Amino acid sequence: MRATLASGQAASDAPPPANPQTPPPAPPAATANPSPAMAPLGFSGSAAPEGPADNDFLPVPDRWRIGFPDWDRYTRGSALNPYRQNVLKGDYPIFGQRTFLNFSAVSDTIGEARRIPVGSDVSSQNPDSEEFFGNGRQEALVQEVILSISLFHGDAAFRPRDWELRVTPVGNFNAVRARENGELFIDVSKGDHRTDMHVGLQELFAEAKLFDVSRNYDFVSVRAGIQGFTSDFRGFVFADNQPGVRFFGNFDSNRYQWNAAIFETLEKDTNSGLNTIFDKRGQRVGVANFFAQDFLFQGYTTELSVVYNDDQATVHYDENGFLVRPALIGDAARHALHVAYAGWAGEGHIGRLNISHAVFEAYGSDDHNPIAGRRTRVNAQMAALEMSVDVDWWRPVLSLLWSSGDSNPTDGQARGFSAVFDNPRFAGGPFSFWNRQAIPLTQTGVKLVNANSLIPDLRSSKEEGQANYVNPGLYLAGLFFDFKLTQKLSLDINCNYLRFARTEPLELVLFQPLIHREIGWDYGLGFRFRPFLDQQVLVEFGAAGFEPGQGFKDIYSSNCSQLNCGAKASRLYQGFATLVL
């Protein structure tokens, strides 16, 4: 007796034939495209059934092509339906039973308007304004197209992949309009507009599983080539896509994970931030980390990490003609860095309390720091803490961050913390003006803080410059609110208060005594909208303002009582919109 019918009805409950003496008709022959009545629920229509079909069963030899149940969410739909089964996105093998192809295409469009403090020199657009600060308004448009092709082998739902090949080229178009000469090009005759295009390889690697560690699919694998890697949970020290070799694995039923990698970094394209193609910059980064899940508390993961930065003494001008390595500050001497980072971080929850924390120690040497004008011994620290509690549909978040500053820039001890290549997701992230914008320290050739960073480390460029450990450091206290207004729409609101840990490096660089420590208030909000409840279309709007404190006004005022020589320009701002398809 059959166990069940396709509809779920027991076989013994089926009505008997009208004439038991008459044999039932022969079942229809199998077809490559069975009728809806014959096909199992959600059948993708891409594999021929095997053997005779009757009212109860339709044998299909390929388990990957059975498909999703035929209900409202998983409809057959059009070719653009993200739930439709397709060989191009790895729903079933491209050949055999375990070899899959995954192809994805992403369009990322960003439009942004901002006001930042900029210098106005003898080539300024407004005559007789060279002793003051210029018009810092800028508009930018960035269009990126990201293509990714991955060919892999293995049933990845239950076990690690046996091998994988992946390539991800990214095309970037960017356009910027400024209001002052000398901002976008070292050659002021090129004006205040710039358009540029670049294609970079952000991934190009091969991965192979070396061996299994246990019967529970614990493993050791290796990945070689250009690949993305983040050394800690929030990207405080190193988060980049670079060529290298990485060994990784897990054990004890995936409770513990580990990574060991070494990267030979590429130069970055100046205006897009993408990798150049096979143009090495003379820097090696080594990383090792270890994760333990459910450490002391269920739901809490702890991490230990070590990062080593070996950045050689090189000279490099960016594509706009500016000297970025070594930084055009102090004596601008070539110098090499040999600095190691040791860190402890945690992420997860302890009961209802969501917690994320990180502590880092940087120790090593800079063989000729340009601000100190001598060889320095690096000994710097950073700590961050984020706590939150989920309250139904909204979540308040408290953020605290400290990075050490240097109290004596010329004593041969560099005490200001600086990262290798940070990309922190902390204290508002892209909705924070201080985090999102690159704020130049005018007339010095360096930035007070770089784009997508939190540390005021006075480096020429995060992408092409070198870390600098003679810097003022930072105190940050922030309050962040995450509101899930609907299943499709969320609202984020943040407010941060910022202070310098020390101001002596700024006073030395600017030849300006008695700079106050208060940086100011950073506040912003942002909306995220998913119109189709998936990741196929994402819309994001954000706006932020920055209210300068006395220390910021001390730095960016020249014979003026207000920033930019006018009360109406005393506040800085950003506004942006993003569309991801």
Side-chain angles (χ1 to χ4, degrees):
M1 182 178 66
R2 298 184 187 272
T4 58
L5 293 173
S7 63
Q9 182 183 28
S12 58
D13 295 336
N19 186 356
Q21 303 301 321
T22 303
T31 60
N33 295 296
S35 66
M38 295 169 56
L41 291 178
F43 180 68
S44 65
S46 55
E50 182 179 84
D54 55 26
N55 292 330
D56 297 339
F57 295 98
L58 177 68
V60 177
D62 191 342
R63 65 191 178 97
W64 298 104
R65 291 172 169 80
I66 293 176
F68 292 108
D70 195 11
W71 61 304
D72 290 344
R73 184 169 183 176
Y74 299 115
T75 58
R76 296 181 183 275
S78 68
L80 298 179
N81 190 327
Y83 300 108
R84 184 184 179 94
Q85 286 190 304
N86 195 309
V87 69
L88 295 180
K89 61 186 184 73
D91 290 320
Y92 48 84
I94 187 171
F95 51 81
Q97 289 291 312
R98 293 188 177 181
T99 303
F100 299 82
L101 176 71
N102 191 2
F103 173 78
S104 66
V106 178
S107 170
D108 190 349
T109 307
I110 303 174
E112 182 174 310
R114 56 184 176 249
R115 176 190 284 139
I116 58 176
V118 299
S120 178
D121 56 23
V122 294
S123 299
S124 62
Q125 293 185 355
N126 297 319
D128 301 322
S129 66
E130 66 270 10
E131 65 176 305
F132 304 117
F133 286 85
N135 189 333
R137 289 173 53 201
Q138 296 181 355
E139 293 86 34
L141 174 67
V142 178
Q143 172 64 56
E144 284 192 341
V145 176
I146 306 167
L147 303 177
S148 184
I149 303 174
S150 173
L151 182 69
F152 61 94
H153 183 272
D155 181 2
F158 301 99
R159 49 177 283 186
R161 296 176 178 179
D162 298 315
W163 54 262
E164 180 182 6
L165 302 173
R166 186 186 303 177
V167 58
T168 304
V170 180
N172 176 283
F173 169 82
N174 58 85
V176 181
R177 180 192 179 194
R179 298 297 189 278
E180 292 288 348
N181 294 324
E183 287 187 67
L184 307 180
F185 303 98
I186 191 68
D187 183 356
V188 295
S189 67
K190 293 185 177 182
D192 59 3
H193 294 66
R194 184 186 69 216
T195 58
D196 192 22
M197 293 183 291
H198 180 74
V199 177
L201 278 176
Q202 298 304 99
E203 288 182 315
L204 179 63
F205 67 77
E207 175 186 317
K209 186 178 71 172
L210 300 180
F211 54 86
D212 291 317
V213 177
S214 74
R215 298 174 59 186
N216 298 325
Y217 300 121
D218 295 323
F219 67 97
V220 173
S221 291
V222 61
R223 177 180 293 181
I226 303 174
Q227 55 192 285
F229 189 80
T230 301
S231 64
D232 57 272
F233 291 113
R234 296 301 182 97
F236 287 123
V237 176
F238 179 78
D240 200 6
N241 289 64
Q242 292 291 352
V245 178
R246 170 189 167 207
F247 293 88
F248 60 99
N250 61 353
F251 58 95
D252 194 14
S253 301
N254 198 35
R255 183 176 182 182
Y256 304 101
Q257 301 94 34
W258 59 271
N259 293 275
I262 185 167
F263 299 97
E264 180 79 33
T265 63
L266 299 172
E267 292 283 9
K268 296 288 187 180
D269 175 70
T270 302
N271 300 321
S272 68
L274 300 175
N275 291 333
T276 58
I277 299 178
F278 309 120
D279 185 8
K280 296 182 180 180
R281 64 158 285 171
Q283 180 190 33
R284 293 182 179 88
V285 178
V287 183
N289 57 21
F290 173 80
F291 301 87
Q293 299 186 58
D294 294 332
F295 181 75
L296 298 182
F297 304 94
Q298 288 188 352
Y300 169 77
T301 300
T302 193
E303 177 204 10
L304 300 175
S305 64
V306 177
V307 180
Y308 183 72
N309 181 26
D310 181 15
D311 200 351
Q312 298 302 307
T314 56
V315 176
H316 179 66
Y317 290 83
D318 70 17
E319 295 184 2
N320 301 319
F322 295 98
L323 177 65
V324 292
R325 201 166 64 243
L328 190 59
I329 190 173
D331 59 12
R334 291 194 303 171
H335 59 113
L337 302 173
H338 311 283
V339 179
Y341 299 79
W344 170 49
E347 191 88 10
H349 67 90
I350 302 174
R352 290 193 60 196
L353 177 66
N354 305 309
I355 185 168
S356 175
H357 65 85
V359 179
F360 296 99
E361 164 72 24
Y363 189 82
S365 65
D366 181 344
D367 63 14
H368 190 97
N369 183 273
I371 296 178
R374 58 183 294 183
R375 178 182 177 85
T376 58
R377 298 295 301 177
V378 176
N379 185 3
Q381 301 80 35
M382 195 209 83
L385 174 65
E386 181 179 278
M387 297 182 294
S388 67
V389 175
D390 292 298
V391 185
D392 196 8
W393 55 276
W394 65 285
R395 179 167 59 101
V397 183
L398 174 66
S399 303
L400 301 171
L401 183 140
W402 166 74
S403 70
S404 61
D406 198 325
S407 60
N408 190 345
T410 61
D411 67 351
Q413 299 292 322
R415 301 179 180 87
F417 188 86
S418 184
V420 181
F421 191 98
D422 58 336
N423 190 14
R425 303 179 301 277
F426 193 81
F431 302 124
S432 162
F433 180 91
W434 179 263
N435 191 337
R436 186 182 182 92
Q437 299 301 327
I439 303 176
L441 190 62
T442 55
Q443 309 302 323
T444 64
V446 300
K447 308 289 195 304
L448 178 64
V449 63
N450 276 271
N452 301 315
S453 182
L454 289 169
I455 309 301
D457 52 3
L458 310 185
R459 62 194 292 178
S460 58
S461 166
K462 186 179 78 171
E463 291 81 8
E464 299 173 271
Q466 292 175 292
N468 173 45
Y469 302 91
V470 178
N471 66 62
L474 179 71
Y475 288 109
L476 180 150
L479 192 59
F480 179 86
F481 294 93
D482 179 13
F483 298 96
K484 303 299 182 186
L485 302 180
T486 69
Q487 292 179 323
K488 299 180 179 180
L489 181 65
S490 64
L491 167 65
D492 296 335
I493 300 176
N494 74 282
C495 180
N496 300 319
Y497 177 69
L498 305 111
R499 293 179 64 89
F500 294 119
R502 309 293 306 190
T503 57
E504 288 84 353
L506 293 168
E507 294 170 355
L508 176 64
V509 168
L510 300 175
F511 301 101
Q512 182 178 345
L514 302 178
I515 295 178
H516 290 74
R517 294 191 181 186
E518 184 182 51
I519 301 174
W521 290 87
D522 170 26
Y523 44 88
L525 60 85
F527 291 91
R528 292 188 177 95
F529 181 54
R530 300 184 306 151
F532 303 113
L533 288 174
D534 55 33
Q535 303 300 316
Q536 300 301 108
V537 178
L538 299 175
V539 182
E540 189 172 86
F541 299 94
F546 182 77
E547 181 70 34
Q550 187 57 51
F552 200 87
K553 292 179 181 179
D554 290 342
I555 296 172
Y556 292 101
S557 297
S558 177
N559 299 327
C560 302
S561 59
Q562 295 288 338
L563 182 65
N564 283 349
C565 301
K568 68 178 182 178
S570 62
R571 292 180 178 86
L572 307 177
Y573 65 81
Q574 70 175 17
F576 68 91
T578 301
L579 173 64
V580 179
L581 304 176

